[in-house]
Amino acid sequence: MTVNLDFFTLYAEIMMAFLAFTTIMVTLRQSMVGSLLPVQYMLFCFFIETGLLAVLKCFIPIALFSASLDEELVWRISSYIGLVAVLLYMPLYVRRRRRLVPGGLPWYSLFVMGGYGIDITVLALTATGIFWPPSQTTFTAHLSWGLAANMTVFVVVLSSLVTVNSGDRE
């Protein structure tokens, strides 16, 4: 099978563009309006941290192929690293969020966490090779969920930063 490593560099570029735009928006919002609310801060942290993890995970297969490793081994290692990254990050994020923002999780957080639950299951099955061998397709699906989750958070962060005062009329 032909490996398309261009996907990973393109994915990293798209994710970095999202991260840069959101960082600029948050910076502008803070300079004009003031500090973020705790929930906005946690969404922003989630967005940046998972985005940077996704960019890092894009370079793992590129680096492993550069080391001339076998294709299945590259995807198995990449899947294990993706699995470990999600398993280590999510509990830390949830604990920080509960400390900073008490109460239940909103629907979009439940949606994203549920998606990551499915992602973890698929990555674990993929890495172990129980039902199917690790491949570029399964690792791409993992990265695609990361992009979809970040896009969901991106929309929520952006909509929470851009508020319209009902008293303002043009």
Side-chain angles (χ1 to χ4, degrees):
M1 181 175 182
T2 304
V3 176
N4 181 7
L5 294 179
D6 292 339
F7 167 80
F8 298 103
T9 55
L10 179 62
Y11 179 97
E13 290 171 7
I14 290 170
M15 189 61 76
M16 289 304 293
F18 271 119
L19 294 172
F21 181 75
T22 304
T23 302
I24 291 167
M25 285 296 298
V26 167
T27 303
L28 288 173
R29 194 260 187 207
Q30 284 185 315
S31 67
M32 292 179 195
V33 179
S35 296
L36 296 175
L37 298 172
V39 69
Q40 292 171 326
Y41 175 74
M42 287 310 302
L43 286 172
F44 179 65
C45 286
F46 177 85
F47 185 81
I48 296 298
E49 292 162 356
T50 57
L52 289 174
L53 276 173
V55 169
L56 176 66
K57 288 185 282 186
C58 284
F59 293 112
I60 292 167
I62 294 169
L64 293 174
F65 274 114
S66 295
S68 301
L69 294 179
D70 177 58
E71 183 177 343
E72 185 177 336
L73 182 60
V74 167
W75 299 123
R76 184 173 310 279
I77 292 170
S78 298
S79 297
Y80 273 118
I81 290 173
L83 178 64
V84 168
V86 173
L87 285 174
L88 289 176
Y89 177 74
M90 287 304 159
L92 294 173
Y93 172 76
V94 170
R95 188 170 7 143
R96 282 188 311 176
R97 182 182 170 94
R98 284 192 178 152
R99 231 179 325 171
L100 193 60
V101 184
L105 295 172
W107 70 267
Y108 50 85
S109 291
L110 294 174
F111 171 74
V112 168
M113 293 297 178
Y116 272 112
I118 294 169
D119 183 48
I120 288 168
T121 304
V122 170
L123 272 177
L125 293 172
T126 299
T128 58
I130 293 174
F131 294 112
W132 54 81
S135 67
Q136 181 173 355
T137 304
T138 55
F139 195 69
T140 299
H142 163 65
L143 291 175
S144 297
W145 169 249
L147 183 60
N150 267 21
M151 288 170 65
T152 302
V153 174
F154 175 77
V155 168
V156 173
V157 168
L158 198 58
S159 66
S160 74
L161 295 178
V162 181
T163 58
V164 177
N165 187 347
S166 61
D168 293 341
R169 303 273 178 190
E170 288 192 18

